[in-house]
Amino acid sequence: MTQENGPSRPLVIGLDLGGTKMLGLLMDDQANILKRVRLQTPGGGNTALSHNVLDLISELRDEIGDQARSLIGISIGAPGFIHQESGTILDAQNMQLHNLPLSKIVSETFGLTTRVIHDVKAAAFGEACFGAGKGMRHLAFMNIGTGIAVGLIFDGQIYQGSAGRSGEIGHIRVVRDGPDCSCGGRGCLEAIASGPSLVRRAQAVLSHNRSTSSMWVSSNRRLDLVSAEMIAEAARSGESWASALIEETADYLGLSIAGLINVLDLEHIIIGGGLSQMGDLLLNPIRKAVNRYVLSEYIDIVRILPSALGMDAGAIGAAAFFFRHPTNE
Ligand SMILES: [Zn+2]
């Protein structure tokens, strides 16, 4: 992506509100990015978040100065349960947001049409328009991080479902009576294969086998310092406990992805989110697991691809969604 932009091209501000960081981009319809701003996501619920969102947008808008007339709208990818027509975040528990009319607040402040869409659906749309899914009619984008969810693109459009809740693959039960999940259920994919779940399982292994890992020893045996990056590094340096944990995680992810493929007749799955930064260390065992569990017709046809847009996917996708849907039809 270049930094160039013609003087009169329409521009959109795209935001992605993550659990720890908020990213804002000033972007044209070809995904050329003029400016990016990153802020810490505040705790403190609706009011604190709204303030920071307005600050972030102001900073991006100030960047274009006398080109401000070319700014045609604002589009925000947000977590939780979104009422897309009104642009309201109905419920995002991990950020303590409830009934936040974000679209109304932003549009009244800046006098610009504002959209709010689910962050993983936004990332899926971004990948479909400008990333690893460019040119594909149907795809699933799977976000594997603190949570696990998919964004589904059918015929180039985001699939919402009956109430806009589509994509909660993280809450498919993969182990009956397995570990507790944030949704109140047990044995969900997210309770076993998310970043925090992988770390928890690593902590359990290390606390029982105190000399298992040289990396663990060099971090002074502090369980609170165990991270997904440390587990990946241990696996790369040949520590078998770490490879086994990653392969087990990939097996559960592959099992769920295979189910998705069998039901929806998909051939392209894009993997993003924090845990995907492990690259082929995670993706190769996912590919193997998918081939083990899909209907035979899909073996070696399905492509499991890394995200091309990385941590920009949500903000680019939100802005791209605005360019595709400038009015709320
Ligand atoms: Zn769950």
Side-chain angles (χ1 to χ4, degrees):
M1 253 154 262
T2 70
Q3 298 293 314
E4 290 162 19
N5 192 66
S8 59
R9 283 196 94 112
L11 300 170
V12 165
I13 287 175
L15 262 60
D16 184 21
L17 310 183
T20 55
K21 297 230 169 62
M22 314 193 313
L23 171 67
L25 303 171
L26 184 62
M27 191 182 107
D28 72 10
D29 60 355
Q30 299 303 308
N32 294 306
I33 294 165
L34 278 76
K35 184 174 170 73
R36 68 178 65 225
V37 175
R38 204 180 288 271
L39 289 181
Q40 289 292 119
T41 304
N46 288 9
T47 309
L49 183 96
S50 305
H51 279 140
N52 280 41
V53 165
L54 296 179
D55 285 350
L56 184 61
I57 295 167
S58 293
E59 196 174 336
L60 287 161
R61 192 193 53 168
D62 291 349
E63 173 71 15
I64 45 178
D66 57 7
Q67 276 190 65
R69 269 182 303 170
S70 55
L71 184 60
I72 60 169
I74 297 163
S75 192
I76 301 168
F81 183 27
I82 312 289
H83 185 256
Q84 195 171 294
E85 287 71 30
S86 65
T88 302
I89 302 175
L90 296 176
D91 189 31
Q93 282 190 359
N94 63 342
M95 288 165 72
Q96 296 134 34
L97 306 175
H98 301 283
N99 294 319
L100 173 62
L102 192 57
S103 169
K104 184 167 179 279
I105 292 168
V106 172
S107 63
E108 284 178 3
T109 304
F110 295 100
L112 286 163
T113 305
T114 303
R115 300 248 179 288
V116 179
I117 63 172
H118 185 262
D119 52 1
V120 178
K121 294 184 180 80
F125 196 68
E127 293 288 348
C129 293
F130 298 110
K134 204 171 169 183
M136 297 169 190
R137 276 176 62 214
H138 314 301
L139 64 85
F141 170 86
M142 189 179 207
N143 187 75
I144 312 168
T146 311
I148 299 178
V150 289
L152 300 168
I153 303 292
F154 297 145
D155 276 324
Q157 300 290 334
I158 295 172
Y159 174 71
Q160 296 286 352
S162 300
R165 286 187 188 265
S166 71
E168 296 290 355
I169 198 170
H171 300 291
I172 287 182
R173 189 170 293 206
V174 291
V175 178
R176 188 178 288 144
D177 300 325
D180 290 342
C181 181
S182 62
C183 70
R186 296 184 72 183
C188 294
L189 179 66
E190 188 169 302
I192 289 164
S194 65
S197 309
L198 175 64
V199 167
R200 270 198 299 279
R201 283 187 293 124
Q203 287 167 333
V205 169
L206 293 169
S207 63
H208 289 112
N209 303 281
R210 298 198 165 267
S211 57
T212 304
S213 165
S214 58
M215 210 152 295
W216 158 244
V217 171
S218 67
S219 70
N220 294 322
R221 295 188 165 88
R222 280 184 54 188
L223 282 176
D224 58 318
L225 292 182
V226 175
S227 64
E229 295 78 38
M230 193 200 108
I231 299 164
E233 214 179 315
R236 285 198 185 92
S237 61
E239 296 190 11
S240 58
W241 67 273
S243 307
L245 278 182
I246 292 170
E247 277 168 27
E248 187 188 17
T249 300
D251 192 74
Y252 282 111
L253 292 166
L255 180 68
S256 306
I257 292 169
L260 196 64
I261 291 165
N262 290 347
V263 172
L264 300 175
D265 189 24
L266 290 168
E267 294 183 353
H268 299 101
I269 311 289
I270 300 168
I271 309 286
L275 219 55
S276 73
Q277 290 174 0
M278 286 186 186
D280 282 343
L281 192 65
L282 181 69
L283 262 57
N284 281 338
I286 289 179
R287 291 176 179 118
K288 275 191 198 147
V290 168
N291 275 342
R292 197 155 47 239
Y293 299 122
V294 278
L295 287 167
S296 59
E297 289 81 359
Y298 294 105
I299 295 174
D300 297 329
I301 287 176
V302 171
R303 294 177 67 205
I304 310 291
L305 304 164
S307 156
L309 303 178
M311 302 319 265
D312 286 352
I316 289 177
F321 183 76
F322 191 99
F323 280 115
R324 190 73 67 85
H325 304 277
T327 55
N328 221 350
E329 75 274 44

